[in-house]
Amino acid sequence: MDLLNRNSNAAIILAGILSIIVGIGIARFVFTSLLPPMLENYLTITFAGVLASINYIGYLSGSIFATLIKDINTKVKYFRIGVVLCIVTTIVLGFSSNDTVWAISRVVAGFGSAMILVVGSAIVMTKLKIENKTKAMGIHFSGIGFSIFVTDLIKRAVFYNGGTWQEAWVVLAIFGIFAGAYSVYILSFDKEVRQNVVKHKFDKSLFSLFVIFLIIAYFTEGVGFVVQGTFLPDIINSLEGLKGYGSLTWTLVGLAGIPSCIIWMTLAHKYGSLNIIIIAMLVQIVGILISALTSNVYLNLFSGILYGGTFVGLVALFMNLGGKLAGKNPVILMGALTTAYGIGQVSAPLYSIKLVDMYSSYSQALYVTAGIVFVGVVLLFIAKRFATKEQKSM
């Protein structure tokens, strides 16, 4: 197994996972892990929510832009740009305490994250020389779970050795330089790839009532994902008797996220995507409500497992179903799904910080979030009535 061979499947998958750790772990999720110490002596909960929203604005714009890049050589170029942006914007957070600089850094980091996850994943899929790419991509997307777990371990190591959150950002950036360099080297081509780009016309017939309900449901999932994805450690720490357990809960999120994509996709293949999406969203609702209903330590640790075990899988489930529905014309439908999810991500932190400010508790934000995700579940049940026989079998 030659991990320096650009055409080795093992090297390609490893590079893909490491790139996700840089783009999603370092440039996004470790912000959540570092939130409690940053709230102690720099950030306010309101500004933290604003930073989360603008990070997702950057990611949303990057995701939409990514759907317009057809040429694989251009994808490689923007993937490299994304890696550089994620590392540079991370270094900035370690040395600056200027609010405007932080805001710009987070929106740029969001764009870089999209270049790594969306564009980088397309490169991984193109480069893999393997018959069953679905299973291989399931392993690739386990990188989202690894991105939470690995960056949380790095943060823990910094604090264990007496470091500060500023130093944690710098150490994470240094790790990102090495991980990113390897990913950029492997996820490239020995020579320029000649590719016939097929242009598809906009097909309005794709947007049946079934698909419209699916898109709205994915919006609600964007909401359900982001509240815990932004505030979970602080939510746990704010509960009576659970101060300090937020970090452990976040570690469990990462661990649960690693196998979730493979597990949910396997279940979807056996029982149908729509049925499994509904089950996964109901499980997610339970995880969201736990912290609003009880301060039991074990149940709240379990809420982290339920969150990590569902959100990665749900992204894969929705996008996989969208890809099947779109057939040979995936760009428009994938773009619509991504936009709906992104709008949910942007809006959720904003109403959350407003409710936290009003009630001095996360409970109301969690109730609202669970309610929104439940609306998505109801819509999917209704959507089943409008599904064709072929759609029901997917």
Side-chain angles (χ1 to χ4, degrees):
M1 183 166 50
D2 186 359
L3 293 180
L4 292 178
N5 180 356
R6 282 176 167 170
N7 299 310
S8 160
N9 287 326
I12 293 166
I13 290 173
L14 176 60
I17 290 173
L18 286 173
S19 71
I20 291 175
I21 292 173
V22 174
I24 302 300
I26 293 174
R28 170 58 194 103
F29 276 126
V30 83
F31 182 90
T32 303
S33 184
L34 285 168
L35 186 59
M38 290 193 298
L39 286 172
E40 287 179 9
N41 60 6
Y42 175 51
L43 293 181
T44 63
I45 195 67
T46 300
F47 189 45
V50 170
L51 289 173
S53 283
I54 61 176
N55 180 257
Y56 286 120
I57 290 172
Y59 182 83
L60 173 59
S61 62
S63 297
I64 295 170
F65 176 74
T67 64
L68 305 176
I69 308 172
K70 307 296 188 299
D71 177 59
I72 192 65
N73 304 294
T74 307
K75 286 179 179 177
V76 170
K77 181 178 77 173
Y78 277 101
F79 170 73
R80 292 172 177 176
I81 290 170
V83 170
V84 172
L85 290 178
C86 288
I87 293 168
V88 170
T89 53
T90 301
I91 294 172
V92 166
L93 302 185
F95 290 101
S96 173
S97 57
N98 182 283
D99 287 358
T100 303
V101 171
W102 270 59
I104 294 170
S105 173
R106 295 313 289 160
V107 74
V108 173
F111 182 87
S113 295
M115 293 303 101
I116 288 178
L117 185 63
V118 182
V119 177
S121 297
I123 297 170
V124 169
M125 182 171 274
T126 301
K127 288 206 70 173
L128 281 171
K129 301 292 187 292
I130 193 169
E131 192 170 326
N132 190 344
K133 289 190 180 183
T134 302
K135 285 186 178 178
M137 291 308 290
I139 297 170
H140 169 72
F141 285 113
S142 71
I144 299 175
F146 276 113
S147 76
I148 295 173
F149 183 63
V150 170
T151 55
D152 186 65
L153 288 183
I154 294 171
K155 180 218 80 172
R156 284 173 175 272
V158 172
F159 279 86
Y160 180 79
N161 288 287
T164 62
W165 59 261
Q166 291 96 330
E167 290 165 338
W169 282 119
V170 176
V171 172
L172 285 157
I174 293 169
F175 174 83
I177 290 170
F178 289 100
Y182 178 78
S183 299
V184 164
Y185 172 73
I186 296 295
L187 299 181
S188 301
F189 295 89
D190 296 323
K191 57 184 178 180
E192 189 168 308
V193 180
R194 297 201 172 185
Q195 193 178 44
N196 292 322
V197 177
V198 180
K199 291 186 178 179
H200 295 284
K201 292 182 179 178
F202 179 75
D203 184 4
K204 287 193 287 188
S205 67
L206 277 176
F207 292 88
S208 63
L209 205 53
F210 174 79
V211 169
I212 291 170
F213 280 142
L214 188 72
I215 291 169
I216 298 171
Y218 199 39
F219 159 80
T220 70
E221 173 50 28
V223 172
F225 152 70
V226 85
V227 173
Q228 287 177 299
T230 303
F231 302 111
L232 185 60
D234 196 52
I235 290 171
I236 302 299
N237 287 341
S238 69
L239 297 174
E240 188 179 351
L242 298 191
K243 179 105 175 137
Y245 280 97
S247 181
L248 176 57
T249 308
W250 189 247
T251 305
L252 293 174
V253 170
L255 283 172
I258 292 169
S260 68
C261 183
I262 299 169
I263 293 169
W264 288 114
M265 290 293 282
T266 301
L267 291 170
H269 180 73
K270 189 172 182 180
Y271 299 107
S273 295
L274 196 61
N275 294 326
I276 298 304
I277 286 172
I278 289 171
I279 291 170
M281 289 178 74
L282 288 172
V283 171
Q284 188 177 68
I285 289 170
V286 173
I288 292 168
L289 288 174
I290 284 173
S291 297
L293 296 172
T294 179
S295 58
N296 180 279
V297 61
Y298 300 109
L299 286 175
N300 277 281
L301 290 173
F302 185 56
S303 75
I305 294 172
L306 294 182
Y307 172 65
T310 53
F311 87 86
V312 182
L314 279 162
V315 171
L317 288 166
F318 270 100
M319 297 307 284
N320 182 62
L321 179 56
K324 287 179 179 178
L325 292 168
K328 293 180 180 179
N329 187 13
V331 174
I332 299 297
L333 185 49
M334 291 296 195
L337 283 165
T338 300
T339 301
Y341 190 72
I343 293 170
Q345 289 178 315
V346 171
S347 59
L350 298 179
Y351 76 69
S352 295
I353 57 177
K354 183 68 177 174
L355 289 170
V356 171
D357 188 50
M358 286 173 62
Y359 296 100
S360 301
S361 166
Y362 283 102
S363 294
Q364 285 72 22
L366 292 170
Y367 287 134
V368 170
T369 303
I372 291 171
V373 178
F374 185 71
V375 169
V377 171
V378 172
L379 287 173
L380 291 177
F381 270 113
I382 296 171
K384 291 180 77 170
R385 295 179 56 191
F386 298 101
T388 64
K389 192 177 239 184
E390 184 184 6
Q391 288 169 339
K392 285 178 180 177
S393 68
M394 287 180 174

